[in-house]
Structure formats: C-alpha cells, structure tokens
C-alpha cells in the first residue's frame, strides 16, 4: 500500500514539474533556441505545446542572418518534423535550408539538404524523385570528398531499385557498399545492407542465398543490443527468415521464426504494422498446415491493418483469406475477398498483389478464367515493360547527375582560367597606374609651388581683411552698447515714469472707495494696457537673443514640461543629452524647435487625455533627434493631417530643413519624431 501511495505522489510531482516547465515562458532570442528545440522533442508535453515550441524556433531563425549556425538549427528543426512524421513541414524547411546553403555557397549544406529532400520523396514512395535527389547529393558529397553519409545514401538508392523490381541492380549496389564499409564499425548500416541484399536475392527467387544474408543480419544484431530498436530489428530478421521458409513451403520452420519474433518483440503496441505482418504470416503458414488457429490470426491481422489504414497489408490479408475460403470450398467468400483485393491493389498500383489476386480468381471462378488469365498476361507484360523503362530511367538520372557534375567542374575550371586572366590584367593595370601616379605627382609638385606663392600673397590680403573686420566689430559693439542705453532709457523715462504715475493715482483707492474715485481710477487702469504694449514691443526686439545664453534653451524647454505637469497633473519628463552644444546651434533653429515643443504640448493638453508624456533630445553625428511620446487616446494621422497644429509643426520643420514623422493609432498614443541637421 505504501509503495502505491509513493508511486502516485511521485507521478503527481513529475507531472507538476512538466507543467511548470511547459508553462515557463522563454524570450524569443538566439540564447533559447536549444531549449525550445529540446522542449519541442519532449513527448511528455502535448502535441499542440510541442508544435508551438517548434514554431517559435522557426520564427527566431527567420530573423537570424544566414550563417552556418542558422543552417545547422534549420537541419535540427527539419529532423524534429521528420521524426514526428510531419512531412509537409519537413520538406518546407528542407527546401528553405537548401536555398540558404546555395546563397552561401555551402557545398556540405547543399548536399545535406538534397539528401533531406530525397528522404521526403523516399518516405512518400515517389521513387524517381527520391533517386534523383539522392544522386545529386551523392555527387556533391563526392565532389567535396565527404564520405560520412554517402554509404547510407547509396543504400537508400539501392532500396529504391528493389522497390522498382530491379533486383540485380539493387544487389550490385549493396555489394559495392559492403566493400566500402567492411573495415568500419557501423553495425546498424551493415545490418541494413545484409537485409537489403537478402531482399534483392529473395526478389530474384534465389532463396538459398537470401537465407545466408538474413542469417548474417541476425548475427550482426548481437552487436546492436544497445540500440533502442534492437528488439524490432531482431523481430524483422526472423520475419524475413520465416518468409523465405514460406516460399520454400517449409511452413513448420516458418512458424518457428514467426513465433520467435512475436515472443521477443513488444510490437503490438509500439509497432502495430510489424505485429500485423508477423500475425498474418504466422496465420498463413498455420492455414497451410491445416491448423484451425490460422483463420483467427489472418482475421486479426486484417483488423489491425484496417485500423492503421495499411493498404498493402489489407490487400495481402484479403488475398490470404480468399485462399483460405477457397481451400474450405466457400467460393462466395473467396470470390468476394479476391475481388476486393484486386480492386484495391489496382487502385493503389500494387501490381504484384494484383497478379496474385488475378491468378486466384481464375481458380475460384473457372467460368471467367480466360478473362482473368488475359488480364494476368497483359499486366505481366506491362510490368516487364515498365521495369525496363524504370531501369532506363534510373540509369538516365545517374547520367544526368554526372553530366551536371561535369558541367560544374567545367565551370570551376573556366573560373580558374578567368581568374588567371584577371591577375594578368591586374598586373598590367597596376603598372600603368604607377606610371600615371608618377606623372600626377610631378605635376602636383609643380602646382604646389605655384600655390605656395599664391598663399603668400593671400596671407598679406587676409591680414588687411582681418584689420578691417576688427574695425567693423568695434563699430558693431559700439552700436550694441548704444542700443542697450536706448532701451534702458526707454524703460526708465517712459515705462517706469508711467508705472509710477499710475501707481500714485491708484494709491488713492486705499483711502477713498466712493464711486467717483473708482471711475477716475478706471481711466488709469486703461493706461496699464498701453504700458503692456510698450513692454511687448521692447520684448519683441530682445526676443532674437532669448536663446543666446548657455543652457538657456534646455532650461526653457524643461520649463514647458514643468508647466504641463502643474496644469494637467500628468507625469511629464524630458531628457536632453549633455553633449549638445546649444551655443553652436543657430538661434532660428532653437526658436522653431521651441515652438514645435509648444505646439506639441498644447495638442496634448487639449486632446490627448494622456497620463504620461516623455521627450528625448539626442545628438547623432551632425543631426539632432527629437522624440515626443504620450500614452493618450491617439488619432487617425491621415484624417488629422489638415489640422492647423500639425501644419504648424510641419511648417517649422521645413524652415529648419528637418524631417518629421508622426505615428499614432486610436487608443495607442502618439509619437512625434524629428531629425534636424546642424
């Protein structure tokens, strides 16, 4: 009881940890690619979550530069989709990494991508396309002298020849592979080569030799005990051995191998198709030995194959059941199963099983045996012609890929020739450039002598000009001093006297507040308006120098934000880089920039309903960058372009030769960006 409780608690904790890991969010950057890939392989997570991680990896890679690491991650992502039988995602990524490899002239990447594309067609039984891409990949591997993956690739090509009934071609190809790997310790590849060679020999009806290589494959499995597929490989070997025994009508020995395979393999749950194949073969041999249990095994195999939608297996099961019913003299059911098998085999181009069904139908339905025999003969002739055409087609593919490789070599040789010619041309060009440079330097030295004489004369003239400038500056300073005296006099004699007079006249209000006194004082209040006009006129004259003092611009712009915070009670903040020398910025530029700030803050005050206003003024090279942002209600920029406020901002930007960009969306705030050359 304690053990059960401990197991439940441990499972709960493990599940909780997995949920926490899957829920932990990762930022989409390069540092997390490996982690995201690992999570996409984590079968403890549900498929939707794993697909999400894979999509995140794809998104990160789409924003990376095309380098070797990016392509390596794409290959890993493609492998992930291949292992999960996500064929369309797999081929899309394989094609993408092929294009990236071509763009980077990555020969190894091109070869690997071609092999991946071939794997896609191989898995789809599109044999001619698979053979074509494998051949191109093989030639590319040979060209770059990389033999790491070439032997397995050649085995895939040999298997394609087997599928296309070119048994002798498959046998020759596998023997050549065995010659190259005899000193290697790749036992898995050696096992697959022995199986492929056994299949080719079995296809040629050389069953004795097939048994030899199937037994060799069985011996090699002893070196594969650490392989995760060890039991499955062992079971497949016994299945092949049992199948050969069936062909030799040695059904007792066949049953021995099939039962042995079923005993060691947990294929019912993990590999249902292998399990169905073994059960079907076992049932057929038992049926041939008049063992009644064979019938239930044949039906069990058909049931599993129907569940898995395994069309070739379904056809094989129906033919076996038809043969069983025919032996039991139940011609109705025998005819039904054979007819179904024939139609299904024909529709799915499983011609070997179609021939079996036609041969069986001719025996079951003797009245129509001539029809079935004629169809059998026509199909046999057609298959023979097709096999010859297929062999020619694959030979042509080999020739075309060789031709492409030869063309590539010729192009590279031509490139080397052109490169040599370019070096010769470059040598002559450098020689002529050297001569021209010497002539140029001689002429330049002569010109410098003349320039030196001219500079001496120019210096004398500059001295005279400088003296005149000093005199002119003296006059300007004198005029400025006189202007200051004039303004001071105006303030003292005009405005101050009027203010004093008005103050004295209004002072009476502190002693008398009758109606007549108030009426007289109202006349003096009107005089204050005239004083305001005089002050405004003087202020206008002084306005041109308002930004002249050091840091004055920074101070007055900051004051605008302080005023905004006070009046609207919002969070307002401005940052101005300290490395901007405002003394070197023209007064007109600062004036217009100040007005732009005024207009922008006025718009925020009136319309934005913002809680936060942020401004930045930075310097980049020879320009000042200004950014004003708020989190207000925003607006449609296209509809608001005709507004007076925006027109004023645009007009002032144009006056200082700047560029303006306004971004805003309803409900998402507003951002004004300004670049001003200095």
């Amino acid at each position: 009881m304690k053990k059960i409780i401990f197991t439940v608690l441990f499972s709960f904790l493990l599940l909780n940890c997995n949920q926490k890991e899957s829920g932990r969010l990762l930022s989409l950057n390069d540092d997390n690619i490996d982690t995201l890939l690992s999570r996409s392989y984590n079968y403890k997570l549900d498929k939707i979550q794993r697909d999400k991680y894979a999509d995140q990896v794809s998104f990160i890679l789409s924003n990376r530069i095309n380098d070797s690491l990016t392509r390596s991650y794409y290959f890993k992502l493609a492998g992930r989709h291949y292992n999960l039988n996500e064929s369309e995602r797999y081929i899309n990524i394989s094609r993408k990494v092929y294009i990236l490899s071509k763009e980077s002239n990555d020969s190894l990447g091109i070869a690997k991508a071609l092999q991946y594309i071939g794997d896609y067609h191989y898995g789809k039984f599109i044999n001619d396309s698979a053979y074509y891409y494998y051949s191109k990949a093989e030639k590319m591997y040979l060209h770059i002298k990389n033999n790491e993956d070439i032997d397995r690739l050649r085995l895939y090509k040999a298997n394609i020849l087997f599928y296309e009934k070119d048994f002798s071609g498959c046998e020759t190809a596998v023997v050549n592979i065995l010659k190259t790997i005899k000193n290697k310790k790749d036992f898995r590849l050696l096992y697959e080569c022995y199986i492929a060679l056994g299949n080719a020999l079995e296809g040629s009806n050389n069953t004795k030799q097939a048994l030899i290589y199937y037994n060799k494959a069985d011996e090699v499995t002893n070196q594969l005990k650490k392989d995760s597929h060890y039991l499955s490989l062992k079971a497949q070997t016994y299945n092949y051995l049992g199948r050969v025994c069936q062909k030799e009508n040695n059904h007792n020995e066949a049953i021995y191998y099939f039962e042995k395979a079923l005993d060691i393999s947990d294929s019912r749950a993990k590999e249902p198709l292998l399990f169905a194949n073994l059960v079907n073969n076992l049932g057929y041999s038992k049926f041939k030995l008049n063992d009644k249990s064979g019938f239930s095994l044949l039906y069990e195999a058909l049931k599993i194959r129907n569940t898995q939608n395994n069309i070739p297996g379904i056809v094989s099961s129906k033919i076996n059941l038809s043969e069983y019913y025919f032996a039991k003299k139940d011609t109705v059911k025998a005819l039904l199963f054979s007819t179904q098998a024939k139609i299904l085999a024909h529709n799915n181009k499983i011609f070997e099983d179609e021939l079996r069904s036609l041969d069986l139908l001719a025996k079951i339905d003797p009245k129509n045996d001539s029809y079935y025999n004629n169809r059998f003969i026509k199909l046999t002739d057609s298959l023979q012609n097709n096999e010859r055409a297929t062999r020619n087609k694959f030979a042509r593919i080999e020739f075309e890929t060789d031709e492409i490789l030869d063309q590539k070599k010729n192009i590279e040789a031509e490139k080397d020739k052109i490169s040599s010619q370019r070096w010769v041309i470059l040598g002559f060009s450098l020689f002529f450039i050297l001569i021209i440079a010497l002539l140029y330097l001689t002429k330049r030295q002569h010109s410098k002598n003349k320039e030196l004489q001219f500079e001496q004369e120019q210096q004398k003239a500059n001295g005279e000009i400088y003296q005149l400038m000093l005199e002119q500056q003296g006059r300007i300073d004198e005029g400025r001093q006189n202007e200051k005296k004039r303004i001071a006099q105006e303030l003292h004699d005009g405005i101050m006297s009027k203010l004093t007079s008005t103050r004295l006249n209004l002072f009476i209000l502190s002693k008398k507040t009758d109606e007549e006194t108030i009426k007289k004082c109202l006349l003096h209040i009107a005089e204050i308006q005239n004083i305001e006009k005089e002050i405004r006129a003087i202020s206008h004259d002084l306005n041109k120098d308002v930004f002249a003092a050091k840091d004055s611009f920074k101070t007055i712009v900051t004051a605008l934000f302080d005023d905004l915070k006070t009046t609207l009670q919002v969070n307002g903040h401005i940052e101005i880089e300290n490395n901007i020398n405002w003394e070197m910025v023209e007064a007109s530029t600062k004036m217009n920039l100040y007005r732009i700030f005024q207009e922008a803050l006025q718009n925020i005050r009136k319309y934005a309903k913002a809680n936060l206003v942020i401004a930045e003024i930075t310097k980049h090279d020879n320009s000042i960058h200004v950014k004003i942002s708020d989190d207000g209600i925003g607006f449609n920029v296209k509809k608001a372009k005709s507004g007076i406020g925006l027109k004023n901002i645009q007009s002032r930007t144009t006056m200082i030769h700047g560029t303006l960009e306004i971004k805003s969306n309803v409900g998402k705030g507003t951002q004004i960006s300004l670049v001003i050359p200095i």
Side-chain angles (χ1 to χ4, degrees):
M1 183 67 181
K2 290 180 179 179
K3 187 175 180 180
I4 294 171
I5 295 171
F6 174 77
T7 304
V8 172
L9 287 172
F10 180 77
S11 301
F12 175 76
L13 289 172
L14 184 62
L15 178 62
N16 193 39
C17 288
N18 288 332
Q19 289 176 342
K20 285 182 179 179
E21 173 158 354
S22 65
R24 192 181 302 128
L25 297 176
L26 292 175
S27 57
L28 300 182
N29 55 52
D30 294 358
D31 296 335
N32 293 323
I33 293 178
D34 289 316
T35 304
L36 290 169
L37 271 173
S38 177
R39 289 186 181 181
S40 72
Y41 273 104
N42 187 356
Y43 294 98
K44 293 178 182 178
L45 304 176
D46 63 80
K47 187 177 185 303
I48 295 175
Q49 190 65 37
R50 283 186 278 120
D51 286 343
K52 182 180 177 182
Y53 288 131
D55 291 339
Q56 288 174 337
V57 173
S58 182
F59 174 77
I60 296 171
L61 294 179
S62 66
N63 293 308
R64 276 181 58 92
I65 60 171
N66 180 13
D67 58 12
S68 59
L69 184 60
T70 298
R71 295 191 295 277
S72 173
Y73 279 131
Y74 268 121
F75 279 120
K76 289 180 181 179
L77 185 60
R80 181 262 182 196
H81 291 310
Y82 183 84
N83 291 333
L84 294 178
N85 295 320
E86 296 171 350
S87 57
E88 294 311 310
R89 287 188 172 191
Y90 169 75
I91 188 61
N92 289 336
I93 293 176
S94 298
R95 286 170 177 159
K96 183 177 183 66
V97 74
Y98 173 71
I99 293 170
L100 294 175
S101 298
K102 286 192 72 174
E103 289 176 354
S104 301
N105 292 320
D106 178 6
S107 298
L108 180 59
I110 293 171
K112 194 172 181 180
L114 286 169
Q115 184 176 348
Y116 275 41
I117 295 172
D119 289 342
Y120 167 80
H121 292 95
Y122 184 82
K124 294 286 186 180
F125 295 99
I126 309 173
N127 292 330
D128 52 350
S129 296
Y131 197 87
Y132 171 75
Y133 285 109
Y134 283 150
S135 297
K136 287 188 72 174
E138 179 187 6
K139 299 303 185 292
M140 185 64 74
Y141 281 131
L142 288 171
H143 178 66
I144 61 178
K145 298 179 181 178
N146 185 310
N147 297 322
E148 186 177 348
D149 300 313
I150 200 168
D151 293 321
R152 187 169 298 280
L153 188 147
R154 285 172 173 170
L155 178 60
Y156 293 158
K157 289 177 65 179
N159 286 334
I160 290 173
L161 295 175
F162 170 76
Y163 297 146
E164 295 294 337
K165 304 294 186 292
D166 184 2
F167 303 122
S168 60
C170 174
E171 181 183 348
T172 302
V174 176
V175 169
N176 288 332
I177 298 169
L178 286 170
K179 289 177 182 178
T180 63
I181 66 171
K182 61 182 179 181
N183 295 323
K184 298 179 182 179
K185 292 187 177 181
D186 189 346
F187 296 109
R188 179 66 181 266
L189 180 60
L190 184 61
Y191 166 85
E192 291 176 3
C193 285
Y194 283 146
I195 293 295
L197 189 53
N199 287 338
L201 291 165
E202 185 184 347
S204 302
N205 293 318
N206 191 349
T207 53
K208 290 184 179 180
Q209 288 294 317
L211 280 172
I212 291 173
Y213 285 101
Y214 286 146
N215 279 308
K216 284 188 176 184
D218 185 42
E219 292 175 7
V220 173
T221 55
N222 295 326
Q223 305 293 331
L224 297 172
K225 290 182 179 179
K226 293 182 180 180
D227 192 302
S228 59
H229 299 95
Y230 165 70
L231 293 177
S232 175
L233 297 175
K234 198 81 172 174
Q236 286 177 4
T237 307
Y238 290 146
N239 186 43
Y240 288 128
L241 288 166
R243 196 174 64 187
V244 173
C245 293
Q246 270 187 346
K247 284 190 175 182
E248 294 181 335
N249 289 319
N250 188 355
H251 291 289
N252 284 317
E253 191 168 354
I255 289 171
Y256 164 76
Y257 283 120
F258 295 140
E259 288 180 340
K260 196 172 182 180
L262 288 167
D263 287 341
I264 67 166
S265 172
D266 185 20
S267 57
R268 179 187 289 271
K270 293 182 178 179
E271 296 183 81
L273 292 181
L274 174 60
F275 178 77
N277 197 11
L278 290 168
V279 169
N280 178 70
N281 291 338
L282 177 62
Y284 185 77
S285 288
K286 286 192 173 186
F287 148 61
K288 285 295 185 180
L289 295 175
N290 293 319
D291 186 335
K292 294 181 180 180
S293 63
F295 175 73
S296 60
L297 292 171
L298 290 174
Y299 253 110
E300 183 181 1
L302 177 61
K303 183 178 179 181
I304 296 169
R305 286 167 167 174
N306 278 325
T307 303
Q308 298 292 321
N309 194 30
N310 175 225
I311 302 300
I314 294 170
V315 173
S316 176
S317 289
K318 286 184 182 259
I319 291 173
N320 289 344
L321 283 167
S322 174
E323 191 174 342
Y324 172 84
Y325 281 117
F326 181 59
K328 300 299 180 184
K329 303 187 182 307
D330 189 344
T331 56
V332 175
K333 287 186 178 179
L335 187 64
L336 174 66
F337 277 107
S338 282
T339 303
Q340 290 176 348
K342 181 183 79 69
I343 294 171
L344 199 58
H346 180 78
N347 291 339
N348 290 276
K349 299 182 180 180
I350 310 172
F351 299 118
E352 188 174 347
D353 283 339
E354 186 177 358
L355 288 173
R356 285 182 62 201
S357 62
L358 286 168
D359 184 53
L360 190 56
L361 281 167
K363 296 174 183 176
I364 298 169
D365 187 10
K367 293 181 180 179
N368 296 310
D369 62 345
S370 59
Y371 166 77
Y372 295 124
N373 288 329
N374 287 334
R375 177 69 186 128
F376 184 93
I377 294 168
K378 287 182 180 179
L379 182 57
T380 302
D381 293 340
S382 175
L383 289 176
Q384 289 176 350
N385 293 333
N386 186 59
E387 287 173 15
R388 283 194 293 271
T390 299
R391 284 194 288 271
N392 294 335
K393 176 173 63 177
F394 288 126
R396 187 170 62 254
I397 290 173
E398 289 282 2
F399 171 75
E400 288 173 354
T401 51
D402 284 336
E403 198 173 47
I404 291 169
L405 187 61
D406 290 338
Q407 289 176 357
K408 187 175 176 118
K409 289 179 179 177
N410 292 334
I411 290 170
E412 289 180 353
E414 188 68 25
K415 282 183 179 179
D416 292 338
K417 184 179 178 181
I418 292 170
S419 179
S420 300
Q421 291 175 349
R422 285 178 177 172
W423 279 110
V424 173
I425 294 169
L426 181 61
F428 279 109
S429 300
L430 289 173
F431 176 73
F432 285 115
I433 289 170
L434 184 61
I435 293 174
I436 293 169
L438 289 172
L439 292 173
Y440 172 76
L441 289 172
T442 303
K443 187 174 181 181
R444 182 176 174 81
Q445 188 62 40
H446 182 69
S447 299
K448 279 187 175 181
N449 292 335
K450 286 187 175 181
E451 287 177 5
L452 184 60
Q453 184 179 357
F454 176 75
E455 284 176 2
Q456 290 173 349
E457 295 175 357
Q458 188 69 29
Q459 285 176 358
K460 184 179 178 181
N462 287 343
E464 295 175 358
I465 293 170
Y466 180 68
Q467 188 62 37
L468 290 172
M469 288 175 64
L470 288 175
E471 294 176 1
Q472 181 66 20
Q473 186 63 39
R475 294 193 190 97
I476 292 171
D477 290 341
E478 185 180 353
R480 184 180 290 136
Q481 191 64 29
N482 291 335
E483 182 65 14
K484 286 182 179 179
K485 289 179 180 178
R486 181 188 68 79
I487 293 169
Q489 190 172 6
E490 280 188 24
L491 289 172
H492 183 270
D493 297 342
I495 294 172
M496 287 298 295
S497 62
K498 290 178 181 178
L499 283 173
T500 302
S501 175
T502 303
R503 179 175 61 81
L504 292 173
N505 287 322
L506 292 175
F507 183 72
I508 195 172
L509 286 172
S510 63
K511 296 182 178 181
K512 292 183 179 182
T513 56
D514 57 278
E515 185 177 349
E516 184 178 355
T517 302
I518 291 171
K519 286 182 179 179
K520 289 180 181 181
C521 289
L522 288 174
L523 297 174
H524 296 298
I525 291 172
E527 182 62 23
I528 293 175
Q529 294 178 344
N530 295 327
I531 296 171
E532 286 177 357
K533 290 179 181 178
E534 288 188 41
I535 293 172
R536 192 177 294 111
I538 295 171
S539 174
H540 181 74
D541 290 338
L542 294 174
N543 194 38
K544 294 177 182 177
D545 295 324
V546 70
F547 300 106
K550 185 177 181 180
D551 291 334
S552 62
F553 180 81
K554 182 176 180 179
T555 302
I556 63 173
V557 172
T558 303
L560 286 175
F561 276 76
D562 292 337
D563 180 60
L564 180 72
K565 289 192 287 184
T566 302
T567 56
L568 285 186
Q569 293 184 346
V570 300
N571 292 323
H573 178 63
I574 182 168
E575 287 189 9
I576 304 175
E577 278 189 358
N578 293 326
N579 64 345
I580 303 175
N581 188 354
W582 292 106
E583 290 181 290
M584 301 301 294
V585 181
E586 292 182 4
S588 61
T589 300
K590 291 187 283 188
M591 171 63 75
N592 282 293
L593 182 55
Y594 176 77
R595 296 303 184 202
I596 289 171
F597 266 97
Q598 276 188 321
E599 191 67 46
L601 297 183
Q602 183 66 14
N603 287 340
I604 292 170
R605 192 179 279 115
K606 286 182 178 180
Y607 311 113
K609 298 181 180 178
N611 295 316
L612 178 64
V613 182
I614 297 175
E616 297 176 358
I617 304 179
T618 57
K619 184 176 181 293
H620 299 275
D621 296 328
N622 295 322
S623 62
I624 293 176
H625 291 234
V626 180
K627 187 183 288 184
I628 306 171
S629 306
D630 69 76
D631 63 348
I633 60 174
F635 61 95
N636 188 322
V637 176
K638 292 182 179 178
K639 292 182 178 180
K641 278 187 177 179
S642 59
I644 295 174
L646 293 181
K647 281 187 175 180
N648 287 342
I649 292 174
Q650 181 63 60
S651 174
R652 291 187 180 279
T653 303
T654 304
M655 289 173 64
I656 55 179
H657 308 291
T659 57
L660 176 69
E661 183 181 12
I662 300 175
K663 295 180 180 178
S664 183
N665 286 306
V666 176
K668 296 185 179 180
T670 303
Q671 178 179 293
I672 298 175
S673 299
L674 183 65
V675 179
I676 306 166
I678 56 173

